[in-house]
Amino acid sequence: MDNLFLRYRRMGMTFPKRSAEFIALMAVSCTFFLFLHTQSLTSRLREMEDKLQPSELSASGLSGNSLLQQESGHSGNNNLNNMYKYLKSTGQMQSLSSYDLNNTRKAGTQILFFNRVPKVGSQTFMELLRRLSAKNNFHFHRDAVQRLETIRLAPDQQQELAEMITDLPTPSVYVKHVCYTNFTEFNLPSPIYINIVRDPVERVISWYYYVRAPWYYVERKQAFPDLPLPDPRWLRKDFETCVLQGDRECTYNEGETHEGIGDHRRQSLFFCGHSHECTPFNTVGALERAKHAVESQYAVVGVLEDLNTTLSVFEKYVPRFFDGATDVYYDQRNSFNKINTNAFKPPVSERVKEIVRRNFTREIEFYQFCKQRLHKQYLAVNLPLK
């Protein structure tokens, strides 16, 4: 494409700015369609992988009977099994209570608020909720696509959002990329809060390539025609080179604040809230605030890498909205697997991932905290004490 423009310039020909953008957009579109077959193959491989997976309980190495019968000699790499052993060894099994772990009972209204974290499979869960809305008879709502998405809101904007959600017909689901918003601060009833998390390093890699995918810019350009196209050099930059060369985009410094939609390093921000104390990257204060919100406010925080357990816990703790979620997901998994799949994301070496992990210590701690809470919720309802 660059050579084509050079040849035209030598011939004394020029392109209007809009024409040049159109040609560039067409080039991006063509690249996208050339990779469609790769997307299709990826989807088929994932479908085969799903079919090879054992059932929920056997995949976990757990069941209500088998876990109670197995002692410490059982192989211990499975997260749920390790959690069971830990709780048993510390005497916490006796106090493991599904009632105490269920914040759904604290909600003051039958409205489910999914303040979704980007790049954690939230598009898939949003679509799952949309399909469940017909089955379980509730209203489904999501925010409109925005030119510039604001995650942290000023107090008056928080109140406006909370009032708008509260005014929805019940029962309803509302989905939006936004930080945790405390409705009671505005004398409004608390909704049922839910969210999903993902391994923070895998998530930041996913975001890096998501904003460089050709189809992403095709969709953005269709919605907002006046948006400028990105620099081709930026589009071609791979994550490994970005990290190893110390590029500003791939340097993750503790305590650093970078506001705006472009900063998706801080998964914990979506749980910490709108306070300025939540904005510095990888800090103790933001971590503790996020943990407190999860433990005291969220009905369920699912884990993308542990889908079976996540769906099971959603069904048990938020049945009004998630009844039958596992069956709906696996009955229609072909269509779910195609949602927001990025066939353009290349593999990243463990060496580079380890470099990134060194600066993601508290984000990783938050992710592990959410995973442990999910496993406690699962065990509390599946391992009744006898």
Side-chain angles (χ1 to χ4, degrees), residues 46 114-132 140-146 149 173 175-177 194-198 203 206-207 210 215-216 219-220 261 264 304 307 311 314 322 328-329 332-333 335-342:
R46 285 182 177 173
F114 180 17
N115 67 311
R116 64 187 182 115
V117 177
K119 307 314 299 170
V120 298
S122 63
Q123 288 270 19
T124 297
F125 276 88
M126 182 168 64
E127 177 59 18
L128 175 61
L129 279 165
R130 190 188 67 77
R131 298 183 191 185
L132 286 170
F140 177 85
H141 310 269
R142 61 159 299 179
D143 64 332
V145 177
Q146 301 172 42
E149 200 153 30
V173 164
V175 185
K176 177 179 175 61
H177 287 310
I194 66 162
N195 217 321
I196 311 290
V197 293
R198 179 182 187 179
R203 178 180 164 273
S206 180
W207 173 258
Y210 171 70
W215 52 265
Y216 173 81
E219 291 178 355
R220 295 286 291 169
I261 191 69
H264 275 287
L304 179 63
L307 183 59
L311 290 173
F314 271 125
F322 282 96
V328 170
Y329 178 83
Q332 304 173 38
R333 63 179 174 267
S335 59
F336 283 117
N337 285 342
K338 295 175 183 177
I339 297 173
N340 235 11
T341 300
N342 188 358

Side-chain angles (χ1 to χ4, degrees), residues 308-341:
N308 288 330
T309 303
T310 293
L311 290 173
S312 177
V313 172
F314 271 125
E315 286 187 291
K316 294 289 178 62
Y317 286 78
V318 199
R320 176 64 187 83
F321 295 91
F322 282 96
D323 181 50
T326 301
D327 289 340
V328 170
Y329 178 83
Y330 282 107
D331 285 347
Q332 304 173 38
R333 63 179 174 267
N334 282 345
S335 59
F336 283 117
N337 285 342
K338 295 175 183 177
I339 297 173
N340 235 11
T341 300

Side-chain angles (χ1 to χ4, degrees), residues 159-172:
Q159 182 169 356
E160 183 180 349
L161 174 66
E163 289 175 348
M164 183 272 292
I165 294 174
T166 302
D167 287 341
L168 293 173
T170 56
S172 280

Side-chain angles (χ1 to χ4, degrees), residues 51-102:
K51 289 179 179 178
L52 291 172
Q53 292 298 323
S55 66
E56 175 187 321
L57 293 179
S58 61
S60 305
L62 298 170
S63 70
N65 291 327
S66 64
L67 248 184
L68 291 171
Q69 293 170 356
Q70 292 169 352
E71 295 299 327
S72 58
H74 183 71
S75 59
N77 289 329
N78 181 271
N79 285 322
L80 277 167
N81 191 55
N82 287 341
M83 176 57 66
Y84 169 78
K85 290 179 181 179
Y86 170 75
L87 293 172
K88 187 174 181 181
S89 68
T90 57
Q92 295 182 61
M93 284 302 298
Q94 298 300 321
S95 60
L96 194 64
S97 165
S98 59
Y99 179 84
D100 292 338
L101 289 165
N102 192 358

Side-chain angles (χ1 to χ4, degrees), residues 269-323:
L269 177 64
F270 286 80
F271 302 87
C272 181
H274 302 274
S275 168
H276 284 289
E277 295 180 25
C278 298
T279 58
F281 175 65
N282 203 52
T283 57
V284 174
L287 168 67
E288 294 306 320
R289 280 173 172 257
K291 282 183 176 180
H292 177 72
V294 169
E295 199 158 44
S296 63
Q297 302 298 323
Y298 279 80
V300 178
V301 175
V303 176
L304 179 63
E305 292 85 354
D306 200 347
L307 183 59
N308 288 330
T309 303
T310 293
L311 290 173
S312 177
V313 172
F314 271 125
E315 286 187 291
K316 294 289 178 62
Y317 286 78
V318 199
R320 176 64 187 83
F321 295 91
F322 282 96
D323 181 50

